[in-house]
Amino acid sequence: MKSLTYTNGDNMPAFGLGTWKSAPGEVKNAVIEAVKLGYRHIDCAAIYENENEVGEGLQQCIEDGIVTREDLWVTSKLWNNAHKKEDARPAIEKTLSDLRLDYIDLYLIHWPVAFRSDVIFPENTAGYLSPDEVTPEETWSAMQALQKEGLTKHIGVSNFSIKKLQRLINLGGQNPEMNQVELHPYLQQQGLVDFCHAHEIHVTAYSPLGSMDRPDNMKKDGEPIPLENEVIKRMAAVHGASPAQILIIWALERGTSVIPKSTNPKRLKENFEAQKIVLSEHEMAQIAALDEHKRIIDGSFFTAPKKGYTKETLWDE
C-alpha cells in the first residue's frame, strides 16, 4: 500500500475511504467492511453528519481486535461555523466524542469560507462572516493550538488555492501539511499539486470518480463524468479493470492520496484492489491530456459577494 510521509516521519496510507454522502444506517457497516478489507485511512468531516456512526464502526473494529487505534489514520475537518479561535476547540472535541477517539491524525480547515457560529449553512448573506471578520490567520492559529494540545497530530486545509496556501506559509510556524482538493482527469490542477509538493504539503484527491451521487442541487447540465470518458474506459478494458479502478490508481500514481466513497461491499473491495494496477508512462500521459480544468464541486453554493465570497475569490482564478 502506498503511503505519504510527513516531516515527523508519520506515514499516512495514500488510499482511504471517503464518507461524504454515506447515509446513516450504512456508514457503520461500510467502515467495518472497509477495515476488514485492509483500509486503514478513513476520511470524515463534521458536516457529513455521520461521524457518530463512523465512530461506532471504528470502535467495533478496535474492540473486535481487527485493528488497533495506532493502525488507523483518521482525518476530519473543521466546519465553516467554527473558524473563530474560541469555536475551534469545541468543534474538534465534538468530533473526537463522535468518533470515540482521543486524537485525530489529521484535521483540516474544510473551506476558506466562514459562517456565524450559530449557522450550519447560511440561508442569506447575514449568515456569513467576511475574511475581515474572521481572518485565515486567526483560524490557522487556532488549528496550531489544537495540534500543540495533542488533539490532532497533523493539520492542514481543504479547497485552498496557491494564493491562500502562500498566505498561511507566510505566517511562519507550522505550514499546512495537507491540502484536500477536487482532483480527477478533467480537473488535474497540476500547478497546485506541484506547488504543494514543493512546500512539503501533501495532497488528497476528493471526488476522484466524479461524485455522481451528490445532491441534485450540486449538479449541472453538461458537467464532466470521469467514469464515462472513452480513454478511461478503453484503459480499463486493457487492464481487465473498471473505470473507477483506473481513476483511483491514476490518483495514486500522481503521488496524491485518494479517498473514493462507497458503502457497497463489492465496490469497497474493487476500489481497494485498484492499488494492484500499474499504469505505464504512456497511459499516464494519455490521462494527462484529458485535463479541461472543469470543476464538479465549483463552490457556487458559497456565493455571498457582499461578504467577499464569489467563485473567483474562492479559487483565485
Side-chain angles (χ1 to χ4, degrees), residues 15-23 25-35 37 39 41-43 50 54 207-209 211-213 227 244 248 258-272:
F15 176 80
L17 175 69
T19 59
W20 179 39
K21 309 178 302 297
S22 292
E26 296 180 357
V27 68
K28 174 183 176 181
N29 289 335
V31 167
I32 294 170
E33 180 65 22
V35 172
L37 285 167
Y39 287 69
H41 173 182
I42 310 296
D43 182 86
N50 59 11
V54 171
S207 296
L209 310 183
S211 192
M212 298 309 297
D213 58 347
L227 288 168
I248 290 167
V258 63
I259 46 170
K261 166 261 174 182
S262 182
T263 57
N264 180 296
K266 180 180 177 182
R267 287 180 181 162
L268 285 168
K269 186 173 187 291
E270 178 185 285
N271 290 347
F272 188 78

Side-chain angles (χ1 to χ4, degrees), residues 129-201:
L129 295 176
S130 74
D132 293 325
E133 292 174 291
V134 54
T135 65
E137 287 84 355
E138 177 180 346
T139 307
W140 190 242
S141 175
M143 294 287 283
Q144 292 183 80
L146 299 177
Q147 185 181 34
K148 288 177 182 176
E149 290 182 58
L151 298 174
T152 179
K153 290 191 171 184
H154 300 274
I155 54 175
V157 297
S158 181
N159 299 297
F160 270 53
S161 65
I162 290 175
K163 180 179 178 179
K164 290 180 173 66
L165 288 169
Q166 188 65 62
R167 183 168 175 175
L168 298 186
I169 291 169
N170 290 344
L171 293 174
Q174 174 65 63
N175 283 355
E177 299 177 89
M178 172 63 74
N179 190 18
Q180 185 176 126
V181 294
E182 178 185 339
L183 293 174
H184 47 73
Y186 289 119
L187 183 70
Q188 300 186 25
Q189 304 203 78
Q190 190 63 54
L192 176 60
V193 172
D194 290 344
F195 176 89
C196 288
H197 288 166
H199 290 82
E200 297 185 320
I201 301 170

